[in-house]
Amino acid sequence: NAGVMQNPRHLVRRRGQEARLRCSPMKGHSHVYWYRQLPEEGLKFMVYLQKENIIDESGMPKERFSAEFPKEGPSILRIQQVVRGDSAAYFCASSRTSGSGLEETQYFGPGTRLLVL
Amino acid sequence: AQSVSQHNHHVILSEAASLELGCNYSYGGTVNLFWYVQYPGQHLQLLLKYFSGDPLVKGIKGFEAEFIKSKFSFNLRKPSVQWSDTAEYFCAGQSGGSYIPTFGRGTSLIVHP
């Protein structure tokens, strides 16, 4: 029973390039969440998606960042024209449903560590 | 605003010592609480969670946490730590009806032999 999968695990980009981070949720999970973790900080919520829908993007920077979760394939977090401040660990989580009950516990992937040179 | 506070940012213990990591939350009403562990270079793993019922929650690897509503606390405990418990520990809270947990800053635990 595979857990949440993320790739790549490590990504190095130069300033101005694009970064694409992928997340495949656990089997049976249709809700995906993206978080960013800066050094010495906890996880900060970015965006919550269901298949083909963005439900909540209140934590996403207004520019350069976008996310999608197509009908087929993984969820993708895309960062255009990366800057050094984008260097962080990006974690994806998935849940079976949404809300605050037992079924809605989020399970995390291994993260993608982005380094912008 | 909802928040989760972890006051111990760095903890260093010897093996076999007892552990207690503090977590306080500022939510009104129903709250769900979690402790996650992040081993070096790895992803977050759920240690334990509280939704309702018995306020003393048992988790994996010998960890437990107690929900004390009057103190707005959900401290993590382990009677005897091991070197392999060296990791970052995150407390998270989620108000009833919300799907987004708020994470504390994390506590870095180092256990030396």
Side-chain angles (χ1 to χ4, degrees):
Chain A
N1 185 14
V4 179
M5 310 286 284
Q6 287 187 252
N7 68 81
R9 297 290 303 275
H10 299 274
L11 183 61
V12 180
R13 286 286 178 266
R14 296 190 181 280
R15 281 179 296 171
Q17 292 183 319
E18 179 180 284
R20 279 184 177 240
L21 288 62
R22 295 175 189 78
C23 168
S24 298
M26 282 179 70
K27 187 177 180 180
H29 287 192
S30 58
H31 300 252
V32 166
Y33 314 80
W34 284 94
Y35 294 84
R36 178 164 61 178
Q37 183 184 31
L38 295 169
E40 302 284 313
E41 293 187 20
L43 276 72
K44 304 292 185 188
F45 166 74
M46 297 181 75
V47 62
Y48 160 42
L49 310 102
Q50 295 178 28
K51 287 283 187 182
E52 300 184 282
N53 281 307
I54 296 174
I55 307 301
D56 182 345
E57 56 182 349
S58 59
M60 287 275 271
K62 296 288 184 260
E63 297 177 348
R64 302 186 298 108
F65 284 72
S66 62
E68 62 177 14
F69 189 15
K71 189 176 180 182
E72 301 290 338
S75 175
I76 295 176
L77 179 68
R78 183 181 175 204
I79 311 172
Q80 295 178 292
Q81 299 175 347
V82 295
V83 300
R84 288 215 174 111
D86 296 332
S87 295
Y90 292 83
F91 288 93
C92 169
S94 72
S95 66
R96 188 179 300 275
T97 59
S98 69
S100 55
L102 284 167
E103 285 290 300
E104 292 77 29
T105 299
Q106 296 180 21
Y107 294 88
F108 285 80
T112 294
R113 281 152 181 85
L114 172 65
L115 176 63
V116 180
L117 302 176
Chain B
Q2 298 163 348
S3 67
V4 173
S5 301
Q6 292 180 247
H7 303 295
N8 315 104
H9 296 155
H10 300 278
V11 174
I12 301 174
L13 295 173
S14 299
E15 274 194 315
S18 65
L19 170 72
E20 181 160 1
L21 301 181
C23 174
N24 289 94
Y25 63 92
S26 63
Y27 290 80
T30 306
V31 62
N32 303 321
L33 296 159
F34 309 82
W35 274 98
Y36 286 89
V37 61
Q38 185 179 27
Y39 297 104
Q42 297 188 27
H43 63 286
L44 271 75
Q45 300 174 41
L46 184 65
L47 268 181
L48 49 79
K49 57 190 175 187
Y50 170 78
F51 279 76
S52 63
D54 189 344
L56 185 61
V57 182
K58 303 284 187 184
I60 60 171
K61 306 187 181 190
F63 287 90
E64 66 178 30
E66 186 173 10
F67 170 60
I68 303 179
K69 191 174 181 180
S70 60
K71 295 184 178 180
F72 297 92
S73 70
F74 190 57
N75 293 355
L76 181 70
R77 300 193 294 247
K78 185 171 184 178
S80 177
V81 294
Q82 301 172 314
W83 174 80
S84 58
D85 293 323
T86 294
E88 193 89 13
Y89 291 82
F90 293 94
C91 181
Q94 184 179 8
S95 62
S98 169
Y99 45 75
I100 303 299
T102 300
F103 284 82
R105 179 182 162 175
T107 297
S108 175
L109 171 66
I110 296 175
V111 180
H112 58 83

